[in-house]
């Protein structure tokens, strides 16, 4: 539905998230939004079990200049997924209704599940640096103003966050010393009295922990891409080589591997493989007397005409002209 509707523009938001920009008139924009959300929900609920998915719906705006504000609002709405994991479809209208009831806001009747350290650790495992501010805001909102306004409970919340972050870092084998250095640079917990001070402390702590995770991930991605390049080098001459095949070889889903490859390599999987095959074809044209059809087969193409088409598109001349030293060929 999304790909065929001119009113809906699908684009990648970040590595694991897609966004849909919906265009419509005052009288049909809400209906288009509802149909879009329902279509996504049906597709996600029909997918295999074990996949985490969430849909955040924004509110319509009348001008292009208002889109940044709409984007910020829906980003905040999406951050509710870390606090209300059972709610898969979120909207600006729904989010307030997800807050604990007024009675639960009272310190003496506090719902202790609101300060479950597992929420902090779940965010540290999957959240983005850009989501820290919204997460901290919604996390404190979910606990309640009365609790946050209590000096003693304020310190308890901060210590709980600190212990959760420290435990996460240790479980992931990250640098505990660097996290403690970051904590040491903040105001002592005992001196924090206001919500603003709480937010500053928590944001710095969570940002540091996520930064350590990102550094570690970058190292793992480097190793993963090295493994990927080695696999492609060994198999690029096979006409059956595919993205799905390589994704399986490195134990990733095809969609995640595709996004990660493009991010880390600066080009798509197909572009990379085509480039490697053309490099080999150029070498064979320069150093052998093999026919173009033989070279096509040698570098992974069954169809010699398609090989010639790709060669001219990428190298600027035909294989024959390249071999003859044509000026269009790249050297």
């Amino acid at each position: 539905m999304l790909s065929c509707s001119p009113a809906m523009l699908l684009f990648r938001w970040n590595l694991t998230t897609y966004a849909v920009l919906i265009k419509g008139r005052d009288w049909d924009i809400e209906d288009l939004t509802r149909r879009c959300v329902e279509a996504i929900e049906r597709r996600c609920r029909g997918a295999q079990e074990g996949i985490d998915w969430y849909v955040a719906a924004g509110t319509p705006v009348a001008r292009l200049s208002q889109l940044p504000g709409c984007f910020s609002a829906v980003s905040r709405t999406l951050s509710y997924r870390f606090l209300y994991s059972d709610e898969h479809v979120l909207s600006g209208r729904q989010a307030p209704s997800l807050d604990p009831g007024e009675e639960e806001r009272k310190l003496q009747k506090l719902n202790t599940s609101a300060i479950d350290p597992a929420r902090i650790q779940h965010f540290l495992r999957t959240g983005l640096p850009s989501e820290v501010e919204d997460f901290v805001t919604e996390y404190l909102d979910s606990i309640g103003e009365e609790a946050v306004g209590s000096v003693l409970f304020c310190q308890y919340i901060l210590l709980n966050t600190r212990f959760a972050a420290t435990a996460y870092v240790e479980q992931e084998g990250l640098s505990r010393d660097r996290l403690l250095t970051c904590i040491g640079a903040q105001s002592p917990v005992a001196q924090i009295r206001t919500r603003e001070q709480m937010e500053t402390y928590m944001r710095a702590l969570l940002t540091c922990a996520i930064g350590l995770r990102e550094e570690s991930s970058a190292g793992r991605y480097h190793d993963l891409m090295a493994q990927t390049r080695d696999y492609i080098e060994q198999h690029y001459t096979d006409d059956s080589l595919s993205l799905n095949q390589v994704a399986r070889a490195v134990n990733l889903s095809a969609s995640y591997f595709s996004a990660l490859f493009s991010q880390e390599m600066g080009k798509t999987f197909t572009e990379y493989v085509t480039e490697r095959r053309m490099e080999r074809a150029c070498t064979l044209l320069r150093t052998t007397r093999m026919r173009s059809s033989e070279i096509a087969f040698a570098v992974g193409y069954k169809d010699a005409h398609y090989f010639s088409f790709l060669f001219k598109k990428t190298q600027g001349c035909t294989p024959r002209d390249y071999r003859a030293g044509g000026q269009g060929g790249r050297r």
Side-chain angles (χ1 to χ4, degrees):
M1 172 185 175
L2 302 183
S3 61
C4 64
S5 173
M8 300 179 188
L9 176 62
L10 176 68
F11 61 94
R12 186 178 292 278
W13 186 341
N14 57 49
L15 186 61
T16 59
T17 308
Y18 284 89
V20 181
L21 179 63
I22 301 175
K23 300 177 292 182
R25 303 291 185 180
D26 291 343
W27 59 84
D28 67 352
I29 187 67
E30 291 194 0
D31 182 62
L32 285 171
T33 301
R34 177 185 57 77
R35 287 161 51 196
C36 177
V37 170
E38 289 175 352
I40 295 173
E41 184 177 9
R42 285 195 301 271
R43 177 65 62 87
C44 291
R45 292 192 185 281
Q48 65 184 74
E49 296 182 358
I51 296 179
D52 286 334
W53 63 272
Y54 299 90
V55 181
T59 54
V61 294
R63 299 179 179 85
L64 288 175
S65 61
Q66 295 174 305
L67 282 178
C70 178
F71 181 88
S72 297
V74 81
S75 296
R76 177 166 178 162
T77 300
L78 185 61
S79 69
Y80 273 87
R81 71 189 190 278
F82 296 110
L83 300 178
Y84 308 99
S85 57
D86 291 334
E87 296 285 342
H88 289 283
V89 179
L90 305 167
S91 73
R93 295 187 181 90
Q94 293 170 317
S97 68
L98 299 176
D99 263 344
E102 186 61 25
E103 289 302 311
E104 293 178 343
R105 292 178 179 273
K106 303 298 182 181
L107 181 58
Q108 62 271 26
K109 295 184 179 181
L110 179 72
N111 181 1
T112 55
S113 65
I115 51 172
D116 184 354
R119 289 184 173 183
I120 299 289
Q121 295 189 350
H122 174 62
F123 176 72
L124 291 177
R125 283 193 298 271
T126 61
L128 299 174
S130 60
E131 296 178 312
V132 169
E133 182 174 351
D134 285 340
F135 173 77
V136 170
T137 299
E138 302 307 332
Y139 183 78
L140 294 179
D141 282 349
S142 74
I143 294 173
E145 288 299 326
E146 289 78 6
V148 173
S150 164
V151 174
L152 289 176
F153 207 79
C154 163
Q155 295 174 1
Y156 171 75
I157 294 170
L158 294 178
L159 288 173
N160 183 276
T161 303
R162 174 173 172 166
F163 294 150
T166 303
Y168 166 77
V169 165
E170 291 177 337
Q171 291 167 6
E172 297 297 316
L174 305 176
S175 176
R176 183 175 184 271
D177 290 342
R178 288 180 60 185
L179 182 68
L180 293 178
T181 298
C182 179
I183 293 173
Q186 307 305 311
S187 300
V189 169
Q191 296 180 10
I192 295 178
R193 294 289 187 272
T194 67
R195 170 160 177 157
E196 182 179 358
Q197 292 172 328
M198 289 181 68
E199 291 180 345
T200 298
Y201 182 96
M202 291 179 67
R203 288 170 184 165
L205 179 60
L206 299 184
T207 297
C208 181
I210 290 179
L212 294 175
R213 184 200 73 195
E214 295 288 285
E215 287 182 16
S216 177
S217 295
R220 289 197 294 268
Y221 290 159
H222 180 272
D223 293 341
L224 188 65
M225 287 301 105
Q227 181 183 350
T228 297
R229 288 193 297 269
D230 288 343
Y231 188 91
I232 293 174
E233 187 63 25
Q234 295 171 21
H235 297 87
Y236 75 90
T237 58
D238 298 341
D239 65 272
S240 61
L241 181 66
S242 67
L243 183 146
N244 287 344
Q245 176 185 338
V246 181
R248 286 194 299 269
V250 296
N251 296 314
L252 293 177
S253 70
S255 59
Y256 185 79
F257 173 75
S258 176
L260 181 62
F261 188 96
S262 297
Q263 174 182 284
E264 296 298 309
M265 302 299 291
K267 61 190 70 176
T268 67
F269 172 81
T270 299
E271 289 170 343
Y272 182 88
V273 172
T274 300
E275 183 178 286
R276 184 65 189 93
R277 286 172 169 172
M278 292 302 112
E279 289 174 356
R280 179 58 178 164
C282 287
T283 299
L284 294 176
L285 285 167
R286 289 195 306 267
T287 61
T288 75
R289 298 183 63 82
M290 294 171 64
R291 296 194 302 271
S292 178
S293 59
E294 294 173 327
I295 292 176
F297 185 79
V299 299
Y301 296 106
K302 287 183 176 180
D303 188 334
H305 294 292
Y306 181 62
F307 162 72
S308 295
F309 166 78
L310 280 181
F311 190 94
K312 184 173 183 179
K313 180 179 179 181
T314 58
Q315 306 305 308
C317 65
T318 66
R320 179 191 296 273
D321 290 339
Y322 184 93
R323 171 171 276 165
Q327 295 302 308
R330 298 181 191 173
R331 300 292 186 178

